[in-house]
Amino acid sequence: MTQAAPAPVGLTQAEATARLAAEGPNELPKAKRRSPLRIILDVLREPMLALLLAGGVVYLLLGSREEALILLAFACLSVGITVVQEARTERVLEALRDLTSPRALVIRDGQRQRIAGREVVRGDVIVLAEGDRVPADAALVEAHHLSADESLLTGEAVPVRKVAGAATERRPGGEDQPMVYSGSLIVRGTGVACVTATGKASEIGRIGTSLGQLETETPHLQRQMRKLVIVFAAVGAAVSVAVVVLYGLLRGGWLDGVLAGIAVGMSMLPEEFPMVLAVFMAMGAWRISKVRVLTRRASAIETLGAASVLCTDKTGTLTENRMTIAELRLPDGTVAKAGAALPEAFRELAAAGVMASAPEPFDPMEKAFHVLAKAELRDGETPPGAGRQLVRSYPISPELLAMSQAWKADTGWQIAAKGAPEAMAVLCRLDTAARARMTAEVNQMAGAGLRVLGVAEASQQGTLTKDPRDFRFRFLGLVGLADPLRASVPDAVAQCRSAGIRVIMITGDYPTTAQAIAAEAGLQGDRVITGPELSALSDADLADAVRDVTIFARIMPEQKLRIVSALKTAGAVVAMTGDGVNDAPSLKAAHIGIAMGGRGTDVAREAASIVLLDDDFGSIVTTVRLGRRIYDNLRKAMSFILAVHVPIAGLALMPLLFGMPILFGPMHIAFLEMVIDPVCSLVFEAETEEDDVMTRKPRPPAEPLFSVPTILWSLVQGALVLAVTATIFALAPGYGLTTDQVRGMTFAALIFAIVALILVDRSRSSSILRAITRPNRALAVVLPIVGALLAVTLFWPTARDLFGFAALDPAHLVVPPLAGLAVLLALEVLKPIWRWAVHRNKAALAITSGNRVTH
């Protein structure tokens, strides 16, 4: 009689505590977070905030404490918004990280105790059972029918059998011990294992650590914005210095000259550019969070709007990572597809599949048999095996890749078996012809991307034997299982195609399976490149191949990264979706990494820019649509900003050039900026999408935010507003108005002209009537606030004195609204003419380019 092995006692609590302190917790290194102080310092580096602070200091030196406090309040408001947004995003990410933090059952001091997964240390003895998430890499010491789902590591949906041979197997420590890996899921059996690696030393951690070697690229739009701000800052600084020098030399009063220089600098520096970009990205992140999408790096939203290639994993991304029965075949070749009621001839096959599975299944394939049987139950019919007693199970072994279960029957025993078709051929003692027919059927089903199992049944009188091959099995047929496509995928793929986005599948699965899923998803292209074939390709050949190949199969993680790099080299804007550890390097290397949040790993989430909390592939289309809408509205906002700064800068310089009284100081400019900021950010961000947002091709990656037509149109708008307001400024004194009255009237006229620009720029293609009637909640809120603030500055004596205004007669109060109306009507007349000229110019350029290509 064999003596039972002693029960493991594991580490002592003292040993575990010491190792935890020495080696650190069992978790992945968290991404570095910016402290509130670091965020504030980064914000203070913006040129406009520096000018605001400098203006506040000069006001204090001049004894104008109220003006100084107003400027400082404006600066603090910008800093506060940025800090709040950063903290909110990180809080959501911390909650996500907890989704994959497993609990662990360990043996310490000879006692079983459940602890947090982060407290597991090297050398701990862990107890595993069905449904457990493995907390760390560990070598199996004891196992009983153990299988693990390692799809997060390998991309394969089929569980990996960890134990071969007898029902229970013990192995001494050594290199040949089977391993279980952190993050994998136990789907069958039980086991005991000794932890060999935790945290970043585990397989998951090893890949996660390698991500640190990949630098995240600065988004194209952000790079453009920095260049624009630098250019405007340089020009504004030069003009400001000149203004200070000229003011001091010609008018005296160097501190007043500094204020005038700061005002000119603020008027010429469109600090709204970075601020609007930040607000647009933050608001975009908030909008898509309502559809269960988390944006870790908000700039990825606009980048996704320019994506030209979407690389997607198969398992768990296009598919649901769960097995379902797709097809059944009888020995005579008769086929039944799932989804419709099974013919009577197939009911015995389905019932035997259930009885060959565990009564309470955890394995996804066995679950599929139970789901099918439940769907086929008729009124009053009991499920297969109900009322019977399971008396013995015959597990899978290397010699026989089949599982059999014996049930107590009325007259003896009923045995059901399922497993590899070749194992069924052995159990059923099929002849050569029958085996040939089975092989042909299996090949046909596998070619359709199905995992094929054979099912058989036997009856036995007397005692049960120890070897299932002793029973006289009868072959019942074949069952094809598939990892089903997500319901939202075909429509999402179709929308990507209409938007000019090429979808590429990169999977570790077999080519036939990948082709079947690709066809079902609607992916175009028949050519498949496998991992070995890709390894033989040079970088140049791979760059050529990625231009038209849409399916890559049997791909290793490092090869995914190579494919993404080749696409980027070819000039594509690459988005990559995935959920497993094997996807993480390519997620970070892509322009936009999109991770699945429900079942994805911490590594994938940390590497990704966007996380789909509900794992819905269709949400990608939502983010693409939103990204394009954001870019359209951002361009409208930037055009508006550029147009607005033309009259502001002109009115700030005009008095200095023509010897007129100073019109605007830093406080006036700051007030205008606080009016402009919410308008160009909140109002334009809330604009609805254009009709063709998902039917046009992705914009070129190098497309400038400010094209020549956009700049010219902005200058035309700004010049018109400057002409109207400058006319008021120049002519008003002739009608008996004082300097303070002229300042107030010109300021009010500028505000009304800004409102006119808002209405004009809301849509490039729509008329003013649609611009007014199209709903926009932000506009409905902002315009009354702007009107109220303007009324306060014009009619409240305290505010009026603070801004250097004087009371206006009723007749003079009519001038500003009329000025705004004149700007609105003039631009509405010019808009269709300008649009026609731009389209004609584009058509001419296209014809010229075509002729060059032809010749």
Side-chain angles (χ1 to χ4, degrees):
M1 185 173 181
T2 303
Q3 184 178 1
V9 296
L11 299 175
T12 65
Q13 187 61 48
E15 289 173 334
T17 302
R19 288 193 181 181
L20 184 63
E23 300 179 4
N26 176 36
E27 59 186 7
L28 298 178
K30 298 181 180 179
K32 293 182 180 179
R33 294 179 57 181
R34 289 194 301 166
S35 65
L37 178 60
R38 179 74 260 175
I39 298 173
I40 292 173
L41 292 176
D42 289 343
V43 174
L44 291 178
R45 293 167 58 189
E46 296 295 335
M48 178 57 72
L49 286 175
L51 289 175
L52 286 173
L53 294 176
V57 171
V58 175
Y59 271 125
L60 284 176
L61 294 176
L62 291 174
S64 302
R65 186 172 58 184
E66 294 81 1
E67 289 87 342
L69 291 176
I70 289 175
L71 292 183
L72 292 175
F74 289 153
C76 292
L77 181 62
S78 298
V79 174
I81 292 174
T82 306
V83 173
V84 169
Q85 175 61 26
E86 180 91 6
R88 176 182 176 275
T89 301
E90 287 298 331
R91 282 198 303 270
V92 177
L93 184 60
E94 287 292 337
L96 258 182
R97 189 180 284 111
D98 293 338
L99 291 176
T100 56
S101 179
R103 303 281 291 175
L105 182 62
V106 301
I107 300 176
R108 289 182 180 172
D109 296 315
Q111 301 294 320
R112 295 189 177 194
Q113 53 182 290
R114 194 165 293 277
I115 62 174
R118 69 186 305 274
E119 297 176 7
V120 173
V121 298
R122 183 176 52 84
D124 257 329
V125 176
I126 56 176
V127 181
L128 303 171
E130 287 186 5
D132 286 346
R133 183 75 68 178
V134 180
D137 289 0
L140 281 171
V141 177
E142 177 182 339
H144 183 78
H145 307 330
L146 194 69
S147 295
D149 177 0
E150 296 180 350
S151 60
L152 292 177
L153 280 166
T154 65
E156 297 291 346
V158 179
V160 178
R161 182 168 45 87
K162 289 296 179 180
V163 177
T168 301
E169 181 178 284
R170 291 178 181 272
R171 297 187 182 185
E175 294 299 326
D176 61 341
Q177 278 188 295
M179 296 287 297
V180 287
Y181 297 100
S182 177
S184 58
L185 182 68
I186 303 301
V187 298
R188 176 190 291 279
T190 60
V192 177
C194 182
V195 174
T196 59
T198 62
K200 62 181 180 180
S202 65
E203 284 297 308
I204 283 182
R206 181 180 59 81
I207 298 177
T209 302
S210 69
L211 294 178
Q213 302 173 2
L214 295 174
E215 293 294 331
T216 303
E217 294 187 1
T218 302
H220 175 66
L221 187 57
Q222 191 171 333
R223 294 197 300 269
Q224 288 189 66
M225 203 66 65
R226 287 177 181 175
K227 291 180 181 178
L228 284 172
V229 171
I230 290 173
V231 170
F232 278 102
V235 175
V239 174
S240 296
V241 171
V243 167
V244 172
V245 174
L246 291 175
Y247 194 101
L249 293 176
L250 299 178
R251 299 195 182 193
W254 286 93
L255 279 179
D256 289 332
V258 170
L259 277 181
I262 290 175
V264 170
M266 292 173 64
S267 69
M268 297 187 67
L269 177 65
E271 101 293 347
E272 299 93 349
F273 284 169
M275 184 177 296
V276 166
L277 180 62
V279 170
F280 265 57
M281 298 303 104
M283 291 297 294
W286 171 76
R287 288 186 185 280
I288 68 171
S289 70
K290 295 193 295 184
V291 292
R292 304 282 296 162
V293 178
L294 171 68
T295 306
R296 295 194 63 244
R297 287 183 283 276
S299 59
I301 301 175
E302 67 85 13
T303 310
L304 190 59
S308 57
V309 174
L310 173 58
C311 298
T312 176
D313 186 33
K314 180 185 74 67
T315 304
T317 306
L318 291 177
T319 65
E320 297 180 0
N321 198 37
R322 64 178 179 86
M323 304 301 289
T324 60
I325 293 177
E327 181 179 306
L328 298 92
R329 295 199 180 200
L330 297 179
D332 63 2
T334 307
V335 179
K337 299 289 186 181
L342 286 180
E344 185 66 31
F346 290 86
R347 293 177 63 80
E348 184 182 19
L349 171 59
V354 174
M355 296 182 67
S357 303
E360 298 294 334
F362 204 85
D363 183 284
M365 289 185 289
E366 294 190 345
K367 284 184 176 181
F369 278 101
H370 279 264
V371 169
L372 177 65
K374 185 177 180 180
E376 293 299 320
L377 286 180
R378 297 171 181 174
D379 292 340
E381 188 178 13
T382 59
R388 298 186 181 184
Q389 180 184 359
L390 176 62
V391 294
R392 185 162 184 171
S393 294
Y394 298 87
I396 294 175
S397 68
E399 296 78 19
L400 186 68
L401 297 177
M403 176 182 180
S404 304
Q405 299 207 128
W407 299 77
K408 179 65 176 178
D410 295 335
T411 57
W413 318 97
Q414 183 177 359
I415 302 97
K418 71 177 189 325
E422 58 270 23
M424 291 298 104
V426 172
L427 288 178
C428 299
R429 301 174 176 85
L430 298 182
D431 57 28
T432 303
R435 291 192 182 207
R437 288 195 300 271
M438 174 192 285
T439 301
E441 298 286 341
V442 169
N443 290 339
Q444 186 177 358
M445 296 173 72
L450 301 180
R451 177 173 173 80
V452 185
L453 295 179
V455 178
E457 68 89 23
S459 298
Q460 177 72 11
Q461 302 294 327
T463 60
L464 292 174
T465 64
K466 293 183 178 180
D467 192 335
R469 284 171 289 194
D470 294 335
F471 302 126
R472 301 290 298 183
F473 279 99
R474 179 170 58 93
F475 181 56
L476 298 180
L478 300 172
V479 177
L481 297 102
D483 186 6
L485 197 72
R486 292 182 181 272
S488 60
V489 167
D491 181 62
V493 171
Q495 290 194 52
C496 286
R497 188 182 303 113
S498 69
I501 301 173
R502 189 160 63 96
V503 180
I504 296 177
M505 178 195 293
I506 305 175
T507 179
D509 217 328
Y510 289 97
T512 53
T513 304
Q515 283 182 300
I517 291 294
E520 191 177 351
L523 298 182
Q524 296 178 333
D526 298 326
R527 184 184 174 191
V528 179
I529 292 182
T530 63
E533 293 171 350
L534 188 145
S535 298
L537 293 176
S538 66
D539 290 342
D541 291 337
L542 180 59
D544 290 336
V546 296
R547 298 180 187 276
D548 54 16
V549 175
T550 57
I551 305 173
F552 292 85
R554 305 306 287 172
I555 298 297
M556 299 298 291
E558 58 272 16
Q559 292 177 321
K560 292 185 179 184
L561 179 59
R562 191 178 170 208
I563 294 170
V564 171
S565 300
L567 287 165
K568 292 170 63 177
T569 301
V573 177
V574 184
M576 171 72 188
T577 69
D579 58 0
V581 176
N582 61 330
D583 297 325
S586 49
L587 284 175
K588 187 168 184 179
H591 294 99
I592 315 106
I594 308 169
M596 301 297 168
R599 65 178 298 274
T601 59
D602 277 346
V603 175
R605 293 173 189 156
E606 291 291 349
S609 307
I610 295 174
V611 180
L612 308 182
L613 300 183
D614 54 5
D615 290 3
D616 185 0
F617 183 86
S619 298
I620 297 174
V621 177
T622 302
T623 53
V624 169
R625 182 184 299 273
L626 183 60
R628 294 189 172 193
R629 165 184 158 180
I630 286 174
Y631 191 84
D632 286 347
N633 290 342
L634 186 61
R635 175 168 280 181
K636 296 173 187 176
M638 296 304 179
S639 177
F640 168 80
I641 292 170
L642 186 58
V644 164
H645 276 273
V646 171
I648 292 177
L651 292 174
L653 284 171
M654 186 176 171
L656 299 172
L657 296 176
F658 298 101
M660 304 169 72
I662 296 297
L663 185 61
F664 295 150
M667 190 177 63
H668 299 94
I669 305 297
F671 180 88
L672 286 172
E673 298 295 348
M674 289 300 105
V675 171
I676 295 170
D677 285 347
V679 168
C680 60
S681 57
L682 299 180
V683 172
F684 284 109
E685 190 280 331
E687 280 298 312
T688 56
E689 64 199 35
E690 300 292 335
D691 295 336
D692 65 342
V693 69
M694 287 301 287
T695 56
R696 60 174 114 113
K697 294 181 179 180
R699 67 179 185 273
E703 179 185 70
L705 182 63
F706 285 106
S707 61
V708 173
T710 300
I711 294 175
L712 292 178
W713 177 239
S714 297
L715 293 178
V716 167
Q717 295 180 85
L720 180 61
V721 173
L722 176 60
V724 172
T725 52
T727 300
I728 294 174
F729 178 45
L731 298 182
Y735 291 87
L737 275 71
T738 65
T739 299
D740 289 347
Q741 286 179 316
V742 171
R743 183 180 292 112
M745 180 186 291
T746 307
F747 187 84
L750 182 58
I751 295 294
F752 275 98
I754 289 174
V755 172
L757 291 182
I758 296 171
L759 299 178
V760 169
D761 286 331
R762 285 186 66 190
S763 175
R764 297 293 174 84
S765 58
S766 302
S767 66
I768 185 61
L769 294 178
R770 183 175 180 186
I772 293 175
T773 57
R774 189 165 60 183
N776 186 319
R777 289 186 178 181
L779 182 64
V781 172
V782 167
L783 285 185
I785 293 176
V786 171
L789 291 175
L790 179 60
V792 167
T793 61
L794 292 178
F795 300 113
W796 186 30
T798 301
R800 194 167 58 207
D801 294 341
L802 187 64
F803 278 83
F805 297 160
L808 294 171
D809 296 334
H812 298 149
L813 289 174
V814 178
V815 174
L818 290 178
L821 181 61
V823 170
L824 179 64
L825 294 178
L827 290 176
E828 277 302 304
V829 172
L830 288 175
K831 185 192 290 186
I833 300 175
W834 184 267
R835 191 165 56 242
W836 172 81
V838 170
H839 288 170
R840 182 179 179 182
N841 184 57
K842 286 183 178 180
L845 288 175
I847 294 174
T848 303
S849 300
N851 289 336
R852 288 174 180 171
V853 171
T854 302
H855 294 296

